[in-house]
Amino acid sequence: MAAPTVDASPTEPPKIPYLSYTSGRALSTWYPDTLALLREAQTLEKEGKTNEALEKYRDAWRLEPYGNTYVELGLADARAGNMLPCARNLQTALQGWTRQLDFVRPVELVREVFSHCKKSVGAIAIKINVPDVRVTIDGEDVREWPYFSEIYVEPGKHTVKAKKDSYWMNQTYVEVGPGERKPLSIAMQTKYDTHFVGFSRPVNFSVNANLATGGKNEEPTWPTKLMIASGVGIGLGVGAVVTGLVMVNNAESKSAAATWTGIAAAGGILTGISLTGLIIGVASRPREPSVIIQPSVSNDGAGVQLTGTLE
C-alpha cells in the first residue's frame, strides 16, 4: 500500500460567477421546468437564503441528473462552503465529461473549483480484486467500484464495507485527513456454501465386487480396473434410481419430489455410463471373462452384487 498523500497547494477559493439561465446555451441544455428551478435557486442564493437555494438546486438535479446540473449544484455547494458535496458532485460531472458533450460552463472553471474543494476533504483511493462491488462508507451507499477511483469523505475515521453476491463482506477502518489521499486495497473472498440433503428414512447401498484375474503379468491391467470401477458405478447408479423412484412416491412436497426425481435421473445416467465402461472392459480383455451382475432391491434401499472370475 502506497503512502498517503496530502495536497498542500494554496487554498485561495476561485471566483464562481453566476450563470445566465436565459442564454441560448442554457435554453438548449435544460428543460423549461428545470430552468425555472435553477432561476429560482439563483434568486434565493443572491438573497442570502442559502439552504432554500440549495434545495431548489437539488430539485433541478432530481429532474435532470446529468452533467450540467451536477455542475450547477456542485458550484452552489462551493459558494456555500459545503466542500464534500461540492467534490462529489463535480467528480460525477467530470467523470462523464467529453468534448462532444461539453459543459455550459468552461471545463477549466469546473476543474479549478473541484481541486479547491478536494483540499478540505479526504479521499480514499480504493482498489478491489473483483469488479462490480458495492461500497458503503459509514453506512452511506456509494457508487459501485470501479466507477470512481476516489471516494471523498469528511476528515476523520471511517468504516468501509464492500459487498458482492457470493462473496464475504469485507469491512475496513480508514482514517484520513484534510486534503489527504489514502490508498485502500480490498481483497474479496469467495463464499462457499455447503448443502446437505436429508433422507426421511434409512437408505442402504451395498456393492460387492469380486473380480479375480489370472497370473499372467504381461496382460494389460486397465480393462480389469475399468470393470471394477464400472461395477461400482452400476451399483451406485441402480441404487440411486430405485431409491429416487421410491422416495418420489412418498415425497411430501413438490420440491422434495423434484429432488428425488433428479437423483433418479442422475442414477440412470451413471448406470448407463458404467455399463458402457463394463462392456469396453470386457471387450478389451484378451480372454473372455465370466461376470455376473445381480441387483438387489428392497423398499428402503437397493444394492448390486458383482461377482466373476477372469481367467
Side-chain angles (χ1 to χ4, degrees), residues 20-30 35 104:
S20 173
Y21 296 125
T22 59
S23 66
R25 186 73 184 274
L27 293 173
S28 63
T29 299
W30 288 287
L35 279 171
V104 175

Side-chain angles (χ1 to χ4, degrees), residues 86-141:
C86 166
R88 290 182 175 179
N89 287 321
L90 296 186
Q91 178 192 37
T92 303
L94 290 168
Q95 187 84 1
W97 177 82
T98 64
R99 294 190 180 276
Q100 290 73 27
L101 299 173
D102 208 348
F103 296 139
V104 175
R105 292 180 181 267
V107 68
E108 293 79 13
L109 171 65
V110 178
R111 288 172 175 161
E112 183 183 4
V113 177
F114 180 48
S115 298
H116 171 72
C117 293
K118 289 196 300 180
K119 296 169 186 175
S120 300
V121 300
I124 303 175
I126 295 180
K127 290 185 178 180
I128 308 179
N129 59 327
V130 294
D132 303 325
V133 176
R134 202 71 182 177
V135 178
T136 62
I137 298 181
D138 301 328
E140 180 185 359
D141 203 22

Side-chain angles (χ1 to χ4, degrees), residues 27-256:
L27 293 173
S28 63
T29 299
W30 288 287
Y31 291 117
D33 291 345
T34 307
L35 279 171
L37 288 169
L38 290 173
R39 294 189 191 106
E40 187 176 352
Q42 190 177 92
T43 301
L44 291 169
E45 188 177 1
K46 290 178 179 179
E47 293 174 355
K49 301 176 181 179
T50 304
N51 292 334
E52 296 177 36
L54 288 175
E55 191 57 40
K56 290 295 180 181
Y57 280 114
R58 294 188 192 101
D59 289 340
W61 167 79
R62 293 184 186 100
L63 280 181
E64 290 190 58
Y66 307 119
N68 280 293
T69 321
Y70 271 107
V71 168
E72 293 307 300
L73 178 57
L75 296 181
D77 281 316
R79 287 192 293 262
N82 300 329
M83 297 304 165
L84 180 58
C86 166
R88 290 182 175 179
N89 287 321
L90 296 186
Q91 178 192 37
T92 303
L94 290 168
Q95 187 84 1
W97 177 82
T98 64
R99 294 190 180 276
Q100 290 73 27
L101 299 173
D102 208 348
F103 296 139
V104 175
R105 292 180 181 267
V107 68
E108 293 79 13
L109 171 65
V110 178
R111 288 172 175 161
E112 183 183 4
V113 177
F114 180 48
S115 298
H116 171 72
C117 293
K118 289 196 300 180
K119 296 169 186 175
S120 300
V121 300
I124 303 175
I126 295 180
K127 290 185 178 180
I128 308 179
N129 59 327
V130 294
D132 303 325
V133 176
R134 202 71 182 177
V135 178
T136 62
I137 298 181
D138 301 328
E140 180 185 359
D141 203 22
V142 297
R143 301 290 287 273
E144 286 182 351
W145 183 88
Y147 187 84
F148 290 133
S149 59
E150 295 179 342
I151 298 176
Y152 298 106
V153 295
E154 293 287 1
K157 189 174 182 180
H158 301 277
T159 302
V160 181
K161 294 182 181 180
K163 303 176 183 178
K164 183 178 181 178
D165 291 341
S166 302
Y167 287 81
W168 294 107
M169 183 194 73
N170 185 294
Q171 179 170 308
T172 310
Y173 299 97
V174 178
E175 188 168 1
V176 61
E180 183 179 6
R181 182 183 184 273
K182 181 165 290 187
L184 174 63
S185 297
I186 296 177
M188 302 294 291
Q189 296 182 350
T190 307
K191 182 188 296 184
Y192 295 95
D193 293 328
T194 304
H195 299 280
F196 297 93
V197 177
F199 294 89
S200 58
R201 65 179 72 184
V203 178
N204 299 319
F205 294 95
S206 62
V207 177
N208 182 5
N210 181 16
L211 296 176
T213 182
K216 292 188 176 182
N217 295 329
E218 67 274 8
E219 294 181 359
T221 59
W222 70 264
T224 302
K225 296 178 180 178
L226 178 61
M227 292 178 66
I228 294 174
S230 299
V232 174
I234 291 172
L236 294 176
V238 172
V241 169
V242 175
T243 303
L245 294 176
V246 171
M247 299 302 291
V248 164
N249 295 329
N250 298 327
E252 298 179 355
S253 64
K254 291 184 178 180
S255 60

